[in-house]
Amino acid sequence: MYRWLVTVILTLHFGYLVYLVLGGFLAWRSPKAIIPHVAAAVWGVLIVLGWVDCPLTAAEDWARQRSGEPPLSAGFIDRYVTGVIYPPEYLHEIRLAVAAVVLTSWVGAYLLWRRRRDQGPADRAVRSGPTVA
């Protein structure tokens, strides 16, 4: 009965990782999207540093126990990502690459926000062209 819950939690874990890496690019379109992405990134850093435990991992272990499986000894990244998507010896390089992608998305969002702010509403209306009624 709880096996489906394990699958849902695994899907949420993968979704969080995708959002963590690429979610900052949403702010290029909608500047307010940066706020939840910064929160997700800070949470991810706290997990990597071992300062907090991932609640999704705890929920997955709980659901596994309820379905009759023993909890797994490793966390989600160690279990499903490291050694599967990239070799374990590249863990630090992958973390640096993720940080670079996230920072690139944030810098790009900031530059676009600044350009829009400096451009002003009148300039945006001119650049978008005439409207057809």
Side-chain angles (χ1 to χ4, degrees):
M1 177 176 165
Y2 288 94
R3 189 71 192 138
W4 66 272
L5 187 55
V6 173
T7 304
V8 168
I9 293 168
L10 288 174
T11 303
L12 288 172
H13 254 129
F14 277 113
Y16 172 76
L17 286 181
V18 169
Y19 178 70
L20 182 63
V21 176
L22 301 174
F25 292 104
L26 294 173
W28 290 27
R29 181 102 172 136
S30 174
K32 290 181 182 179
I34 198 71
I35 295 167
H37 190 260
V38 168
V42 167
W43 187 257
V45 168
L46 293 176
I47 290 171
V48 166
L49 293 175
W51 294 356
V52 297
D53 293 327
C54 179
L56 289 173
T57 299
E60 180 188 345
D61 286 342
W62 177 86
R64 285 183 185 283
Q65 287 178 326
R66 297 299 178 278
S67 68
E69 298 177 35
L72 300 174
S73 60
F76 176 80
I77 298 285
D78 296 333
R79 218 175 310 150
Y80 299 108
V81 181
T82 303
V84 177
I85 297 178
Y86 58 84
E89 59 268 15
Y90 292 114
L91 176 63
H92 297 297
E93 290 84 352
I94 293 298
R95 286 180 178 172
L96 287 173
V98 167
V101 170
V102 170
L103 290 175
T104 299
S105 71
W106 290 354
V107 168
Y110 170 74
L111 293 174
L112 287 169
W113 171 79
R114 196 173 75 189
R115 183 182 331 153
R116 287 181 193 132
R117 185 196 66 195
D118 293 345
Q119 194 175 35
D123 293 334
R124 283 194 292 273
V126 170
R127 289 188 71 189
S128 65
T131 57
V132 178

